[in-house]
Amino acid sequence: MIMPLGPSHGWGVCGRYLALAMDRLTPVRLITEDLECEAQNDSSHYRALSNIHVPREGLCHRAAGQGELHLDGPLLQCIEGPTLRPWFTRAEAWRRVGYTFFETTRLRREDVTAARSYFDWIAAGSTWCERILKDHGLNSVNTVIQGVDLEKFNPGYAVKERYAERFVVFSGGKLELRKGQDIVIRAFKVLQDRHEDVLLVNAWYNPWDDSIMTMKMSPCIDFQMPEGEYFQAISRLLLANGIEPGKVVTLPPVPHANMAEIYRDSDCGLFPNRCEGGTNLVLMEYMACGKPAIVSFCTGHMDVVDGENSILLRAMGRLRIQNQRGETVQEWDNPNIDEVIAGLEWAYQNRDSLKALGRRAGESMQELTWGKAA
C-alpha cells in the first residue's frame, strides 16, 4: 500500500485505517512518510503501523536511481484528486489499484488517458465519483465506501455530558467554500436571533490558506478573513457576520481519536456541504455516535444518508465557480438557506424526535466498517 498518513486530514485517517484493516487480512507493507504524526495521535495505532511501515524516502532514492520501483505484490495506491495521478508515480506492480476522492465533474482528457496506464482498476470513494469516472470513459471502476472505527465512534457517546442547558449545533470540516461553513454561519445567525440558548461548536481548522480563501466566493456571508492567530481570526469572521461571541465555541485541532467526545456534547450536526467526493468521514463518525444530522443530499453524502437516518436538505441550486477570465471551472450543488434554517428550527423544536433520529443514525453506520472497506 502507498498511502499518506496524518491525523488532521481525510487521506491520513483513511490511509491509517485501511492499512490496519488490510493487515488483518493479508501481509501488508505500508509505504508512506514518517510515522511520528501517528505517535502523537494514537499510540496503539502507531505501534501496529510501525510493524508494517516502509519509509517512502528510501524507496524514492531507489526509484530515482533505477527507474521505476518494481514491487513483488499487488499495489493499492491513493490517487491525487482530479489529476488521477498516483501518489508515487514510479511504482510498478503486477496488479495496480488506485483509490480516489475528488470534487469535480470535469476531468481532463489527457488525465483520463494517463490513468489507464497507471492503474488496472480504480476504487472510487463514492458512487458519485464512480459515475463521473465512467462518464469520462473509465470503466474499470467500482465504489469502496470508507469505514468507521466503531470502537472510538459509537452510540456510547449519544448522551450529552456538558451544555445541558444549551441547544448545541456542531459543524465540522476544514473551513472552505466546498464544505459550506458560510451556509452554517448564515443559518445559525437566524437560529441565534430566535433562541437565546443556542450554541455553535465548530471544528474548522484548516492549515491550507488557498482553500480557506475560496470562501471569498461565498454568496452567503461577508468573508474578509482577518489576519492573526486562528481563534482571533474565526471570532472576527463570525462577529462580522452577526454571530454573538457567547454563542460560539471554536475548537483547536483535536486529535482524531478524541473527536467522539466533542460530538457527544452536541444536539445536532449541520453538514450543508456542496460537494463530497467521498462519503464525508466526519459526518459518518458523527452519526456513528448516535447523533442526528442535517445533511445536504448530494454527491458522496447520498451513499450514507437517507430520510430515515438524517434530516435531508434536498432543495439544491447550483453554484458556479469561475476563474479570473470569467470561465466556469467548477459547478457544485448549493443548499437552500431557507431549507437549512427550517431544518435547524425543526431540530430545536423536536428534541425527542431528534434523539430517535440519532439512534437510527448510529444503527445505520454499524455495517460501514474499515474491515468491510478493506
Side-chain angles (χ1 to χ4, degrees), residues 90-309:
R90 294 179 179 272
E92 272 295 330
W94 61 264
R95 175 71 166 171
R96 303 162 303 167
V97 177
Y99 197 18
T100 186
F101 306 83
F102 53 79
E103 290 83 27
T104 182
T105 58
R106 305 179 182 205
L107 303 176
R108 298 193 310 171
R109 181 180 303 175
E110 55 267 36
D111 292 334
V112 171
T113 300
R116 292 192 181 96
S117 66
Y118 293 138
F119 304 107
D120 302 302
W121 200 272
I122 293 177
S126 67
T127 54
W128 180 81
C129 262
E130 178 184 347
R131 176 177 57 80
I132 291 169
L133 290 169
K134 289 182 174 178
D135 286 348
H136 284 79
L138 284 169
N139 294 315
S140 298
V141 182
N142 70 305
T143 297
V144 176
I145 293 176
Q146 297 177 93
V148 175
D149 182 346
L150 295 175
E151 292 184 3
K152 290 185 169 64
F153 303 95
N154 58 70
Y157 292 93
V159 180
K160 289 167 67 177
E161 293 187 357
R162 297 191 300 163
Y163 307 126
E165 74 289 355
R166 308 289 291 269
F167 181 81
V168 181
V169 178
F170 171 78
S171 173
K174 62 183 184 293
L175 181 67
E176 62 180 1
L177 186 68
R178 181 176 64 84
K179 292 288 186 180
Q181 289 94 347
D182 57 326
I183 298 173
V184 173
I185 293 169
R186 175 83 172 272
F188 185 80
K189 167 68 166 65
V190 175
L191 193 71
Q192 74 155 24
D193 291 347
R194 292 176 179 176
H195 308 289
E196 284 295 325
D197 60 340
V198 297
L199 182 69
L200 174 64
V201 174
N202 69 82
W204 294 343
Y205 182 76
N206 184 351
W208 298 289
D209 290 342
D210 287 347
S211 67
I212 291 176
M213 298 315 291
T214 60
M215 275 291 189
K216 284 187 173 182
M217 294 180 280
S218 168
C220 302
I221 63 171
D222 175 23
F223 185 82
Q224 299 294 330
M225 192 63 176
E227 296 182 358
E229 60 91 25
Y230 178 69
F231 291 104
Q232 289 180 350
I234 295 296
S235 295
R236 290 170 182 165
L237 171 65
L238 293 171
L239 188 61
N241 287 279
I243 305 299
E244 300 173 19
K247 294 184 178 179
V248 179
V249 173
T250 296
L251 299 173
V254 176
H256 178 254
N258 298 340
M259 284 305 298
E261 298 172 10
I262 304 298
Y263 303 153
R264 176 178 56 200
D265 292 323
S266 63
D267 293 281
C268 183
L270 180 53
F271 298 88
N273 304 41
R274 293 181 168 100
C275 184
E276 287 291 334
T279 43
N280 191 349
L281 192 54
V282 175
L283 168 66
M284 292 174 67
E285 292 170 344
Y286 185 84
M287 293 172 65
C289 290
K291 290 296 182 179
I294 301 169
V295 186
S296 53
F297 193 55
C298 63
T299 59
H301 282 175
M302 298 176 76
D303 287 326
V304 295
V305 299
D306 56 41
E308 298 297 319
N309 67 7

Side-chain angles (χ1 to χ4, degrees), residues 20 38-39 41-50 151-152:
L20 294 172
E38 294 298 329
N41 182 59
D42 189 305
S43 58
S44 63
H45 284 173
Y46 174 73
R47 290 191 295 271
L49 291 168
S50 297
E151 292 184 3
K152 290 185 169 64

